[in-house]
Amino acid sequence: MPRLACSRVPLFALAARLRSEPELRGEAVAIFQGNGHAARAIAATRRARRAGIRPGMTLSQARALVPKLTVRARDGDCERAAQDTLLEIAESFSPRIEDAGDGVVYLELDGLERHFPGDHPEHDLAHAFTVSADKASLPTWIGIASSKLAARVAADVPASPTFVPAGQEAEFLAPLTLRRRSSQAEVLETLHRWGIGSIGEVARLPANEVASRLGETGQKLHERARGMDPQPLVPYHPPPVFAEGMELEWPLVALEPFLFVARAALDRLAQRLAHRGLACTRLELSLRLEPDGYHQRVIQLPAPTRETKTLLTLMRLDLEHHPPGAPVLGFTLTAHPD
């Protein structure tokens, strides 16, 4: 079986937002999901967690603990751009990767020794990947094993990177408790009645009896408990464009404040284009306007470039000639490469 690496960005929604707003690093920041009284905290920076902020708290509960807490809503644009960046980093290490979403990516490690010829190629790859992800403001935990399940579980271990020796996936998974999933609820309830609560206990059950008494779902669960992962890597096909954007903390009316925020997004786009050795030939600008309007522009470039200053100047000129006409609530910048 091929060796697989799983890279996971802990607190992905928070990491994606801090990537777009690096000035918030070191502050007490919490990410909330939901609207009004239904909004709940889903992630917080270390400074906020030390002050008592926990997932599930309401905004009023969080403010009572930290009156000056910086609050941000979960931002789909930030997270998509962060996920795309993580995938681009993974592609620089392996031609076969899988996009597992929400800050998770799998890499197939066949041929690894050609790029890392030392005595410990997996350790070298994990270190190099971590360095690249850190430079992109995406701190990662890495797990390496011979199955996707074992690699994913290993990537949850804070003492990253975690390596599961080939053939020892079952021993690594054995102490873990079974996690409830809706698709396995009936099987897990049966196992609970049998007094079975860990993956190792499932693995020790006779395979033929599991198949006959628990059906296909039970059989698949039994295979995974034994370290066998029948689900292959699903190859990722990169999109032909690069996008960066975010929801703004408050509506922007004047052009200069918007260009200040947009410049940081253009910097991130330029870095991603440079990582692929590409340049931008067409820049699309999509603005979300107050209360629920849109302003979209396409800027054709006279020559391919990834110079932030050039892109920002062209954007300024276009917006001066075609002002959006309403306060800006959020934006997406899409670069079409040559």
Side-chain angles (χ1 to χ4, degrees):
M1 293 182 66
R3 295 287 283 173
L4 300 171
C6 176
S7 170
R8 183 177 78 87
V9 179
L11 303 177
F12 178 62
L14 175 65
R17 192 77 201 207
L18 294 179
R19 173 179 173 271
S20 296
E21 295 186 81
E23 66 276 8
L24 296 180
R25 293 194 186 101
E27 300 296 324
V29 182
I31 303 296
F32 279 73
Q33 185 170 14
N35 298 313
H37 295 297
R40 294 290 186 275
I42 60 171
T45 58
R46 182 178 287 107
R47 185 172 176 181
R49 296 197 300 272
R50 286 174 178 169
I53 305 299
R54 296 290 182 268
M57 279 186 171
T58 64
L59 180 56
S60 58
Q61 289 171 332
R63 291 280 193 205
L65 289 172
V66 187
K68 294 185 178 180
L69 179 71
T70 300
V71 174
R72 292 290 187 269
R74 190 167 185 179
D75 190 327
D77 286 336
C78 287
E79 292 178 29
R80 278 189 293 273
Q83 183 71 13
D84 287 344
T85 301
L86 184 66
L87 293 167
E88 289 157 16
I89 293 170
E91 281 187 302
S92 69
F93 288 90
S94 172
R96 282 180 55 82
I97 67 172
E98 177 180 335
D99 178 5
D102 289 336
V104 178
V105 60
Y106 292 97
L107 300 79
E108 188 173 291
L109 304 185
D110 278 1
L112 176 70
E113 62 281 354
R114 289 176 294 180
H115 304 287
F116 299 94
D119 295 334
H120 305 287
E122 292 183 353
H123 290 75
D124 295 341
L125 173 132
H127 174 72
F129 191 101
T130 300
V131 170
S132 295
D134 283 343
K135 287 180 180 178
S137 300
L138 292 172
T140 63
W141 293 353
I142 296 177
I144 296 180
S146 297
S147 76
K148 287 171 65 176
L149 176 61
R152 178 65 181 83
V153 172
D156 285 338
V157 179
S160 178
T162 300
F163 304 91
V164 182
Q168 296 184 24
E169 286 74 21
E171 291 86 341
F172 174 72
L173 297 171
L176 304 177
T177 57
L178 294 170
R179 293 184 179 180
R180 288 193 173 274
R181 297 178 182 173
S182 57
S183 61
Q184 300 173 348
E186 187 176 343
V187 168
L188 293 177
E189 184 61 34
T190 300
L191 292 171
H192 179 72
R193 290 199 302 269
W194 292 353
I196 293 173
S198 73
I199 291 178
E201 290 171 336
V202 174
R204 288 192 289 272
L205 294 173
N208 57 345
E209 297 215 8
V210 169
S212 62
R213 300 179 67 177
L214 298 179
E216 184 180 359
T217 301
Q219 184 178 8
K220 290 181 179 178
L221 181 64
H222 186 251
E223 289 174 348
R224 289 174 179 163
R226 294 165 56 203
M228 301 166 58
D229 195 351
Q231 189 175 10
L233 201 75
V234 180
Y236 165 73
H237 300 288
V241 298
F242 300 78
E244 290 282 347
M246 63 186 295
E247 299 290 338
L248 300 174
E249 185 181 1
W250 54 77
L252 296 180
V253 179
L255 179 59
E256 289 303 326
F258 169 72
L259 291 176
F260 178 81
V261 178
R263 183 187 183 98
L266 287 172
D267 279 337
R268 296 192 296 272
L269 273 178
Q271 290 169 7
R272 292 171 59 189
L273 287 166
H275 190 75
R276 290 283 191 89
L278 299 172
C280 178
T281 58
R282 189 168 85 251
L283 182 67
E284 292 184 14
L285 170 63
S286 178
L287 304 180
R288 291 179 289 284
L289 307 179
E290 192 176 49
D292 52 10
Y294 285 89
H295 178 82
Q296 294 181 309
R297 300 290 302 161
V298 177
I299 303 172
Q300 295 286 352
L301 306 184
T305 184
R306 52 174 179 258
E307 292 292 330
T308 299
K309 185 177 180 180
T310 301
L311 295 171
L312 189 68
T313 299
L314 292 172
M315 187 189 301
R316 176 196 293 275
L317 293 172
D318 189 85
L319 288 173
E320 286 176 346
H321 284 84
H322 307 91
V328 177
L329 298 173
F331 67 93
T332 302
L333 303 177
T334 304
H336 294 258
D338 58 338

